[in-house]
Amino acid sequence: MEQKGVVAVSAQLRAIGGLALPRGNQTEATLFDEGRNDTNGELLMKRLLLGAVAMIVFAAPAAAADLQARPRPYTKAPAYTAPEVVYNWTGFYIGGHLGGAFAGNNSLEGNGGRFLGGVQGGFDYQFAPNWVVGAEAQYSWLANNNNGVLFPGGTLVTTNNDQLGSVTGRLGYTWGPALLYAKGGYAFRDNNNIGVTIAGVPQPFTTNGRHQDGYTVGGGLEYMFAPNWSAKAEYQYYNFGSTTFTTGPADILGTRFRNDEHTVKAGINYRFGWGGPVAARY
């Protein structure tokens, strides 16, 4: 029995005549035409499936080319922002220092410098938020290499001040790990330890006082290089007034000397950090 649907399609294809058909339609026409006398429906279905596969094969390259032509969407990754490091200066600290001491002009110690070393401790409080206020106690030992002052009459005056101390307040401004500060307060030393000799023979004398107490001012830069650790460079001036000889050999009688020290120090502190250690703020 001839399948009517297939005959109708085949007849329509013949009616087209010599017109060129698209490749896909030609394939369908051929399959339908060949299946006109095919009484086996299963064979016809196989040929129809083969035709569909052929159409897919021809269409796939065009679809792939279309996909390649489309630009790939690109999203820029957000820039990395490092966390802000927060430095907290609030808390107690202890440490040590090394440096040198240099007597001022018109001093009993002459012009030579002396080595010093010592310890310090204190407390800082950070507020507002870049200001730091605190208090510090410091003690230094000085090497004694003083040759004294020789007067024209042959009188030699020497002194041996080998300890310096201070209790000061300080105020500083901090940005990041750095702290720039000024300091000032009370200063003390062991005593004046003055000696007067002529040709090596000790001579009697008196002065207007021992001048053990005085004042100090200074400043420096401190840097927090690790959690709970800071290093500093500091200048500090000590003044204990002036000494005047009230009695003694004629060439020193009434002579007045200044008792002051210019010091430079490098130190390191360990900070207990009651306000919290160095932290990262995101």
Side-chain angles (χ1 to χ4, degrees), residues 108-122:
L108 290 175
E109 297 176 9
N111 297 322
R114 295 189 288 168
F115 175 81
L116 68 80
V119 294
Q120 72 271 348

Side-chain angles (χ1 to χ4, degrees), residues 34-270:
E34 291 180 355
R36 179 181 54 185
N37 297 322
D38 190 354
T39 59
N40 191 337
E42 182 179 354
L43 181 59
L44 178 60
M45 291 301 296
K46 289 182 179 180
R47 291 180 177 179
L48 288 173
L49 290 174
L50 288 175
V53 170
M55 293 176 65
I56 292 172
V57 170
F58 289 129
D66 182 62
L67 289 174
Q68 293 177 357
R70 296 179 183 178
R72 176 181 295 179
Y74 174 74
T75 303
K76 185 178 179 179
Y80 172 75
T81 302
E84 178 186 358
V85 179
V86 180
Y87 296 87
N88 195 330
W89 293 87
T90 298
F92 288 97
Y93 63 89
I94 58 173
H97 61 268
L98 297 172
F102 306 87
N105 295 328
N106 194 32
S107 170
L108 290 175
E109 297 176 9
N111 297 322
R114 295 189 288 168
F115 175 81
L116 68 80
V119 294
Q120 72 271 348
F123 176 83
D124 285 326
Y125 177 73
Q126 185 172 343
F127 65 99
N130 296 100
W131 291 94
V132 176
V133 64
E136 181 181 82
Q138 188 174 106
Y139 200 86
S140 304
W141 292 268
L142 292 80
N144 183 28
N145 56 353
N146 176 33
N147 295 320
V149 177
L150 182 63
F151 285 80
T155 301
L156 177 65
V157 179
T158 60
T159 184
N160 180 21
N161 301 315
D162 56 6
Q163 299 175 50
L164 287 175
S166 64
V167 178
T168 59
R170 71 176 193 168
L171 177 66
Y173 182 83
T174 179
W175 66 100
L179 173 66
L180 183 66
Y181 65 89
K183 62 187 295 186
Y186 168 74
F188 60 94
R189 63 178 182 170
D190 51 348
N191 55 59
N192 52 12
N193 289 328
I194 297 175
V196 177
T197 61
I198 297 178
V201 179
Q203 302 296 312
F205 70 94
T206 60
T207 66
N208 63 345
R210 295 175 63 85
H211 302 284
Q212 288 181 280
D213 302 314
Y215 70 89
T216 180
V217 293
L221 178 66
E222 193 162 355
Y223 189 86
M224 195 176 297
F225 63 90
N228 301 104
W229 288 96
S230 63
K232 69 174 183 177
E234 178 181 274
Y235 165 79
Q236 191 168 353
Y237 172 72
Y238 298 81
N239 190 302
F240 300 96
S242 298
T243 296
T244 302
F245 288 99
T246 56
T247 65
D251 55 348
I252 68 168
L253 185 62
T255 303
R256 182 181 180 186
F257 292 91
R258 296 180 60 183
N259 304 296
D260 59 354
E261 297 278 358
H262 300 267
T263 65
V264 289
K265 308 165 189 172
I268 189 169
N269 289 320
Y270 178 80

